[in-house]
Amino acid sequence: MAATGKPVDYTVRNHVAVLTLNAPPVNGLSQSLRRAIKTALCDAEGDGCVEAVVLMGGGRMFCGGADIKEFASGEISEPDVNVIIRQMEIMDKPVVAAIHGVALGGGLELALGCNLRIATRDARAGFPEVRLGVLPGAGGTQRTPRLVGVGLALDLILSGRSIGAKEALERGLIDALSERDLLTDAIALARRACQSGDPLPVAGRLPFNGTSDLEQTITAALEQVLRRTPDAEAPKAIARCIAFAASGVDFEEGLVFEREEFLKLMSNTQSRALRHLFFAEREAAKIPNLPPDVALRPVERVGIIGAGVMGRGIAMTFLNAGIPVTLLEIDADALQRGVEAIRSNYVTRQEKGRMSAEDLKERMGLLRSSTNYDDMSDCDLVIEAVFENMEIKQNVCARLGEVCKPGAIIATNTSTLNVDTIANASGRASDVLGMHFFSPAHIMRLLEIVRGAETAPAVLATVIALARRIGKVTVVSGVCYGFIGNRMLESYLRELDFLLMEGATPARIDTALEAFGMAMGPCRMMDMAGIDVNARVLDERAAEGALPDDPGYRALVRKLAAMGRHGQKAGQGYYRYEGRTPCADPQVDRIAAELAATLGIPRRDDITDAEIRDRLLLPLINEGFRILEEGIALRPGDIDIVWTAGYGWPALTGGPMHHAEALGLGRVCHRLEELGRQTGDRFGYFAPAPFLLRRVADTA
Ligand code: 3HC
Ligand code: NAI
């Protein structure tokens, strides 16, 4: 149907008014769209030739929900979605929602307010509000349990996941699947509803069918969510709304209760932080000086060099997206180990019922393996994931420069090394960039893309588009040690060893950071990543003269590495391991105390949790300002995405840079200076970054 440029297109077909939402890109329910729907419904009601209404979305989807940008004002202007739904519910003409693409959040609530719902087979429906720190605020918590039962309602609303149309039909969320043309089928459904003479179904008038153990069901579902994010407000409010509905109150009272809870959440800091991340994630894929019309290079086959920890995960990332992979190793044994590890990962998934036998066969069928570099010649993109050693990487890239076809992209998965030096070794630096995956690569969402000095715009644009295809969120970084994430990680870890030497235990430090919301405290994280790996990087950096020339700097990590306490894989690191369970190890405290004595570091018993957090987190934030000033990161939001998607920083705080703004930059500055005085700041990392100081001065 041709769009008229109005927010809602109104046409009449076969005595059915067809209201088409026309608010690209997602038909977000902005005030202008809400007003237009209200007016169009009045028109349909007053039109004597119209017997029924079909509500559908123009463009790619039915409706992506409320216009989140409006939340910033702290209120929802009239008419809100509840008003529209009320209007549909009291109309004596049937209203049918015709869903294609997605019906999410307020979009699904709008559909639930219609008498009937029909969807295309590939459509999806869900309530993602919890991911934005809010809840369905237009009756979703009240109508959904009435329509499909409390179990599914809790599942959908607490998880934010969406379900496909087939499941939605089976579970009663929709009434029919469209087998041919959606609009034709929706009109036919609407006409049948008129002709049947049966009372029109209204979800809000259904009784609340609860079982006696309802309260327990709600508490158990909530507890499960809070295990991951105990501080999250939205899940608690969702549980309250559903429990309120279940308590036997009138439906209208439930709507009022839900609205109050929604408005409270909308204005709280958690929702602001999560909305910031939603927009930051989309913004991060936009690169200011990249021409929008740059022609993308085709990527039909990907080559991967090295089938170690990362190579295997990267291979599975592409196989999972249906992209053929050629995996290359140094010899047949290493290659077989890599391929078998991939197969065994898939077999385990199949055994757990998360993958079908056909999918397993299909994915392994897309995998070719080789020990011959000539087999890279038909790949459109080759990613090297060999040892973190400049000479080896240069040799590999020189070889790839020779064997890869013209136009093929060469990427390095280095986590710290200079991408330009690696690119130059290839002899075709414009084809090269960094693709820094995170471990496990097939699970972690973040992909840091490192743009070299010579990287061609088409290469960068192709990899950003490809990342979307393989389900990654991308951030583009400039070239420097560790790029955005690992460079800031070093700032995070610098005070760790000093705190331990001063007398804080690993468990104490981890608990303080986990209470702040980090997915894992720094000691557990280091034990998992490998203390030897970190110590090797430190040695290399020290040899380059890039680290402070001071025996105290990261002294404990080097000592533990030298003692073979390499972390979880060695059964001991900052902790002692029983299986994968970390146990406090008094020996680590003794080692730390001995080092402190040797280095003349006084032991203290007055270290507070707040000091632990500040000494670890504020230098990290400070480094973020340096990274911004140098142009390594394009925006503060990019840094926030790196840390929330790649390093377990709590999304509820919006990432380190958003968190700093929320704390107040003046306060951050002041506390850094205070800590600098307290610790002596031998290495200068508590000195506020010039950009931070300027920001403080600008806002004073
Ligand atoms: N409000 C405002 N803008 C939105 C939006 C929304 N709900 N959803 C998407 N957008 C914007 C994006 O910021 C982006 O803008 P840009 O082009 O300027 O960067 C543009 O629309 C396209 O978005 P995507 O790139 O994400 O498009 P996709 O096609 O990949 O995905 C989508 C579409 C699945 C709808 C995805 O955008 C999405 O998940 N959106 C959010 C859905 C959501 O959370 N809905 C609930 C909102 S809260 C609510 O409804 C409250 C209610 O209960 C009262
Ligand atoms: P790994 O040691 O598990 O695997 C490296 C593999 O490369 C080995 O199987 C080795 O046989 C193979 N290899 C070495 N030289 C080769 C050559 N010339 N040709 C073909 N294969 C060769 O190492 P891992 O952990 O997979 O790291 C690989 C790269 O990924 C490194 O650059 C590392 O810094 C980076 N990285 C590692 C992360 C991690 O958490 N392990 C995270 C992000 C990046």
Side-chain angles (χ1 to χ4, degrees), residues 24-29 60-61 63-71 76 81 102 104-109 126-132 134-140 258-259 262 278-279 281-283 286 468:
V26 302
N27 293 323
L29 292 162
R60 292 188 290 127
M61 65 194 74
C63 176
D67 181 345
I68 312 164
K69 291 196 184 88
E70 287 185 353
F71 291 7
I76 301 291
V81 180
V102 295
L104 295 177
L108 179 54
E109 290 174 299
F127 290 112
E129 285 92 338
V130 68
R131 296 179 181 173
L132 297 169
V134 290
L135 51 73
E258 177 195 79
R259 173 95 331 201
F262 173 80
F278 176 86
F279 289 116
E281 185 176 321
R282 279 143 187 90
E283 198 63 23
K286 295 174 191 149
R468 205 175 154 98

Side-chain angles (χ1 to χ4, degrees), residues 492-501 509-510 522-523 526 554 556 574 615-616:
Y492 173 54
L493 297 176
R494 284 191 294 212
E495 280 294 290
L496 177 62
D497 286 3
F498 287 114
L499 280 163
L500 290 162
M501 288 188 282
I509 293 176
D510 283 352
C523 297
M526 291 276 288
R554 308 293 312 278
L556 186 56
Y574 282 104
R615 282 176 67 181
L616 294 180

Side-chain angles (χ1 to χ4, degrees), residues 186-233:
I187 290 174
L189 182 63
R191 292 206 55 79
R192 278 201 301 280
C194 294
Q195 285 153 8
S196 78
D198 292 340
L200 293 173
V202 174
R205 290 189 203 133
L206 292 170
F208 196 105
N209 287 327
T211 49
S212 54
D213 55 359
L214 211 54
E215 206 174 309
Q216 261 173 309
T217 308
I218 295 172
T219 310
L222 177 63
E223 272 171 4
Q224 205 185 345
V225 175
L226 294 184
R227 231 173 277 149
R228 287 192 302 273
T229 47
D231 297 330
E233 292 298 336

Side-chain angles (χ1 to χ4, degrees), residues 308-310 329 373 385-388 393 396 413 415 436-437 439:
V309 174
M310 292 308 288
E329 254 293 348
Y373 272 80
V386 300
F387 301 134
E388 185 77 345
K393 289 204 188 277
V396 166
N413 181 47
S415 44
H436 182 212
F437 288 85
S439 183

Side-chain angles (χ1 to χ4, degrees), residues 266-530:
M266 190 178 79
S267 336
N268 78 13
T269 54
Q270 293 187 354
S271 175
R272 262 205 299 278
L274 293 170
R275 277 161 16 222
H276 156 73
L277 290 174
F278 176 86
F279 289 116
E281 185 176 321
R282 279 143 187 90
E283 198 63 23
K286 295 174 191 149
I287 308 306
N289 55 359
L290 196 61
D293 53 353
V294 61
L296 301 185
R297 299 188 186 177
V299 180
E300 304 300 336
R301 172 170 287 277
V302 173
I304 294 167
I305 314 292
V309 174
M310 292 308 288
R312 295 165 194 176
I314 297 169
M316 284 193 280
T317 306
F318 286 98
L319 296 174
N320 295 349
I323 299 174
V325 167
T326 307
L327 185 61
L328 184 142
E329 254 293 348
I330 202 149
D331 58 38
D333 283 351
L335 186 60
Q336 197 189 347
R337 278 197 303 277
V339 172
E340 280 317 310
I342 293 174
R343 188 193 311 281
S344 128
N345 185 294
Y346 284 149
V347 168
T348 307
R349 290 190 60 181
Q350 191 203 344
E351 282 166 0
K352 288 185 177 164
R354 295 195 196 135
M355 188 186 219
S356 67
E358 296 76 55
D359 280 350
L360 190 158
K361 200 164 154 227
E362 198 183 309
R363 285 179 210 187
M364 289 308 290
L366 291 172
L367 180 63
R368 233 163 49 190
S369 57
S370 168
T371 52
N372 182 350
Y373 272 80
D374 290 340
D375 288 332
M376 290 294 133
S377 62
D378 65 345
C379 293
D380 305 295
L381 161 70
V382 180
I383 304 168
E384 74 75 18
V386 300
F387 301 134
E388 185 77 345
N389 173 287
M390 182 54 96
E391 203 181 326
I392 299 178
K393 289 204 188 277
Q394 281 181 310
N395 287 339
V396 166
C397 284
R399 196 73 215 283
L400 289 176
E402 290 162 11
V403 297
C404 288
K405 63 185 175 186
I409 297 172
I410 300 172
T412 169
N413 181 47
T414 176
S415 44
T416 55
L417 299 174
N418 188 305
V419 170
D420 286 332
T421 313
I422 296 173
N424 288 336
S426 73
R428 42 195 277 189
S430 61
D431 286 335
V432 180
L433 44 52
M435 286 177 80
H436 182 212
F437 288 85
F438 287 70
S439 183
H442 59 297
I443 303 218
M444 296 293 286
R445 282 183 69 226
L446 181 64
L447 175 64
E448 221 177 356
I449 300 177
V450 187
R451 182 183 199 173
E454 307 275 331
T455 305
V459 168
L460 181 61
T462 301
V463 170
I464 292 175
L466 177 67
R468 205 175 154 98
R469 243 170 100 193
I470 59 175
K472 297 294 179 201
V473 42
T474 53
V475 169
V476 174
S477 168
V479 175
C480 67
Y481 162 76
F483 324 122
I484 298 172
N486 280 345
R487 176 167 157 183
M488 288 173 74
L489 181 68
E490 187 166 324
S491 312
Y492 173 54
L493 297 176
R494 284 191 294 212
E495 280 294 290
L496 177 62
D497 286 3
F498 287 114
L499 280 163
L500 290 162
M501 288 188 282
E502 285 167 36
T505 61
R508 174 81 199 288
I509 293 176
D510 283 352
T511 307
L513 271 297
E514 283 162 21
F516 170 73
M518 298 295 285
M520 203 182 272
C523 297
R524 280 213 296 139
M525 186 194 73
M526 291 276 288
D527 273 358
M528 203 137 138

